[in-house]
Amino acid sequence: MNLIILAVIVLRTLLVSPVSSLDIDLGKSVIWGPGLGETTLPVRYFFVQLVNNAGENVTESQDIKLDIQLVGQPKNQRNAENCRYSLEQFDAGDGSIVVRYRIPQECRGVSIHVMYKGQHLGDSPYSIPSPIFPEICSCPLEIDEFRNVYKCPERHPQIEEDMSTFSGINYTHVQEKMLEKFSTDNPGSLAICQYVVLSGELFRRCFGKHVGFTMFMDATLLSILRKVKLPDFEIFVNLGDWPVSRKGGRSRTQGPWPVFSWCGSSDSFDIVMPTYDITESTLEAMNRVSLDIISVQKSATKWADKIPKAFFRGRDANRERLKSVELSRRNPELLDSAITNFFFFRDEEDTYGPKSPRVSFFDFFKYKFQINIDGTVAGYRFPYLLAGNSVVLKQDSPYYEHFYSQLKPMVHYIPFRRNLSDLIEKIHWAKSHDTTVRKIAQNARAFVRENLLPTHIFCYHVLLFEQWHQLTRLHKVSVASDMEKVPKPEESSSCSCDRKVQRDEL
């Protein structure tokens, strides 16, 4: 038993409502999430679902803040110093509170206390027997253990669909053809990099001039390799916007080429990964990125107080966005749409301008209805709109992200035609069916929490690469002479990676 009294860092905030005025059963309130366990993430997180005295989930904001305490010892210290951490909590506006924290150092004997006015909620305090490690630590788990700790699914429909195209592939032959093609193509038209994972190390070589987005793919793969022991494999990654492995043409005679992209389409064979946007926000939350899939769940406007109009802001990435401005001007009581920057249609700024001042993404959700219109490809804001507690109206599109196949129209979003011909009609319908569309908004947020949080993003990548390894296992993975090694951060080797529980922590 540890007899040392640990210092406790308590993050306290002013309480808006006295406990006696709240219909909340603190003991029955439910707390869950990977931040209560040993899962290594850039930012750990968990959820608090408030429950009323009748045993029912609270569904409205209670305007309260909790007292959260993380108690633990830094590695190799036996004094009264507590582990350092930064912590945030968000009222999600639906009776739940989102809590997340980032640790900069290895921490042992951790317990997490969740309290309101001195009283514990749920089963608080929550003990984590194993040490927890910061994101920078390179302490990879075996794949089976990773799946168990991160609670990864056994399968994913999009991965199965993508892999089915390449079942029985002679990858050695296809790789030779791809290298020949990419080596001789006009570099101004290419944004392709070949990545190799070999014995836990990362290597790459790139083809084309437009490969600046290697920083996103490098960071993604290095982060994954710090968490799990991936089998050896190699992939070609498209760092551009548009899918590149087109159906028809060469694919009819030579077979489809397996290119990994952030966006898929109905007329391509590209293998889809989570976008660089949602992955970067996973890696850089509470750091360089302010908008991420967790922070966007903060609700500052209650449903009844939201402006009953549809809202869109964005650059002029396609013609339909300009058309939404026309519709907005003809129907200002239903739609507020404007362009924030003109690049693709600069010669039409006089018609569709002036440019609108930028609006904070968090302020989008002052409006009850959110319009999702494609950019150059799929609108990568879609996951954040689904999470934001307004209902999303989504344009029909040939483009898709890795999770689209799991969504259902009129369950998670309201669809409208690609040419926007029925958009106003759909907004009218949404305004007259408030109970139904609120349920759609709730379904969308539930979908995000079940499929698009950081653990899900890591699981998807690992499952994808594992299955790709199985398909290409007859191919000998090697590092070409002109490949460069992608270095790991120096700090990653300074962690003990000792997951054993110390005797004084038992």
Side-chain angles (χ1 to χ4, degrees), residues 122-140:
D123 295 324
S124 172
Y126 296 86
S127 296
I128 306 177
S130 300
I132 59 175
F133 302 102
E135 162 67 11
I136 200 63
C137 285
S138 182
C139 301

Side-chain angles (χ1 to χ4, degrees), residues 283-490:
L283 299 179
E284 296 294 337
M286 294 182 71
N287 191 14
R288 290 191 300 106
V289 171
S290 59
L291 174 66
D292 58 77
I293 203 68
I294 292 179
S295 67
V296 77
Q297 297 184 44
K298 178 179 180 180
S299 179
T301 307
K302 295 181 179 180
W303 181 265
D305 297 330
K306 290 178 181 284
I307 300 169
K309 294 170 63 172
F311 185 82
F312 176 82
R313 289 293 185 277
R315 63 178 184 151
D316 64 331
N318 69 34
R319 172 63 65 181
E320 284 74 27
R321 292 188 174 190
L322 301 183
K323 186 170 183 179
S324 74
V325 175
E326 293 181 13
L327 293 174
S328 176
R329 290 173 179 174
R330 294 201 298 264
N331 303 272
E333 76 286 359
L334 296 174
L335 174 60
D336 182 347
S337 178
I339 303 299
T340 56
N341 189 40
F342 285 86
F343 176 80
F344 296 92
F345 299 96
R346 288 174 178 166
D347 58 337
E348 299 184 53
E349 183 172 353
D350 288 344
T351 302
Y352 296 102
K355 288 187 293 188
S356 168
R358 292 188 179 275
V359 177
S360 166
F361 199 85
F362 297 99
D363 288 338
F364 281 28
F365 302 104
K366 293 179 179 178
Y367 292 79
K368 190 169 286 188
F369 315 116
Q370 301 298 319
I371 305 299
N372 188 71
I373 303 175
D374 279 354
T376 52
V377 286
Y380 290 173
R381 69 180 66 187
F382 190 35
Y384 308 107
L385 293 178
L386 291 171
N389 204 30
S390 292
V391 69
V392 183
L393 287 83
K394 182 190 178 301
Q395 178 192 33
D396 291 339
S397 173
Y399 299 108
Y400 56 85
E401 297 177 59
H402 76 280
F403 61 92
Y404 282 22
S405 63
Q406 296 173 277
L407 294 170
K408 296 180 180 179
M410 302 307 294
V411 174
H412 301 109
Y413 66 92
I414 301 171
F416 60 90
R417 296 188 190 114
R418 184 157 186 79
N419 64 5
L420 278 59
S421 60
D422 63 342
L423 176 56
I424 296 302
E425 173 189 339
K426 292 297 180 70
I427 298 172
H428 271 297
W429 180 89
K431 287 193 67 172
S432 63
H433 293 79
D434 191 74
T435 301
T436 301
V437 297
R438 186 178 187 185
K439 178 61 177 174
I440 293 173
Q442 292 168 344
N443 292 340
R445 173 171 282 182
F447 177 88
V448 167
R449 290 185 176 181
E450 293 168 5
N451 296 278
L452 296 179
L453 297 183
T455 53
H456 308 127
I457 300 303
F458 284 117
C459 284
Y460 191 96
H461 279 103
V462 171
L463 181 59
L464 176 64
F465 297 145
E466 185 183 16
Q467 292 199 16
W468 179 245
H469 161 77
Q470 290 297 326
L471 274 184
T472 60
R473 62 187 179 277
L474 298 180
H475 174 74
K476 180 175 175 55
V477 177
S478 61
V479 178
S481 59
D482 58 344
M483 284 186 167
E484 61 179 308
K485 183 177 181 179
V486 182
K488 297 177 181 178
E490 292 183 6

Side-chain angles (χ1 to χ4, degrees), residues 41-42 143 146-147 150 152-156 158-159 162-163 195 197 202 216-231 233 235 237-239 260-263 271-283 401-403 406 451-470:
L41 294 166
I143 280 192
F146 174 89
R147 285 174 174 271
Y150 284 71
C152 297
E154 290 296 320
R155 55 180 294 274
H156 195 287
Q158 186 62 54
I159 294 176
D162 288 345
M163 293 296 106
Y195 280 89
V197 170
L202 181 63
F216 297 119
M217 198 65 207
D218 289 358
T220 298
L221 288 169
L222 287 175
S223 179
I224 293 168
L225 288 170
R226 291 195 294 270
K227 296 172 179 60
V228 60
K229 296 177 182 178
L230 290 176
F233 67 92
I235 55 175
V237 177
N238 166 32
L239 301 176
F260 287 66
S261 294
W262 290 309
C263 179
I271 299 168
V272 183
M273 304 178 292
T275 67
Y276 68 86
D277 189 282
I278 196 171
T279 305
E280 188 202 20
S281 73
T282 292
L283 299 179
E401 297 177 59
H402 76 280
F403 61 92
Q406 296 173 277
N451 296 278
L452 296 179
L453 297 183
T455 53
H456 308 127
I457 300 303
F458 284 117
C459 284
Y460 191 96
H461 279 103
V462 171
L463 181 59
L464 176 64
F465 297 145
E466 185 183 16
Q467 292 199 16
W468 179 245
H469 161 77
Q470 290 297 326

Side-chain angles (χ1 to χ4, degrees), residues 165-270:
T165 301
F166 301 100
S167 60
I169 186 174
N170 181 344
Y171 183 69
T172 300
H173 174 73
V174 172
Q175 182 223 44
E176 292 173 357
K177 296 294 184 182
M178 294 174 75
L179 288 173
E180 179 183 350
K181 172 69 171 174
F182 297 146
S183 298
T184 57
D185 264 3
N186 174 14
S189 65
L190 288 177
I192 299 288
C193 285
Q194 181 189 15
Y195 280 89
V196 166
V197 170
L198 184 64
S199 300
E201 301 289 344
L202 181 63
F203 306 85
R204 64 165 156 78
R205 60 178 166 184
C206 295
F207 307 89
K209 293 181 178 179
H210 308 291
V211 293
F213 274 26
T214 53
M215 64 180 184
F216 297 119
M217 198 65 207
D218 289 358
T220 298
L221 288 169
L222 287 175
S223 179
I224 293 168
L225 288 170
R226 291 195 294 270
K227 296 172 179 60
V228 60
K229 296 177 182 178
L230 290 176
D232 298 342
F233 67 92
E234 72 171 55
I235 55 175
F236 287 89
V237 177
N238 166 32
L239 301 176
D241 285 338
W242 289 275
V244 297
S245 186
R246 295 293 182 184
K247 295 179 180 178
R250 176 194 54 74
S251 295
R252 288 199 299 264
T253 57
Q254 299 182 30
W257 282 0
V259 178
F260 287 66
S261 294
W262 290 309
C263 179
S265 67
S266 58
D267 63 350
S268 73
F269 291 112
D270 292 51

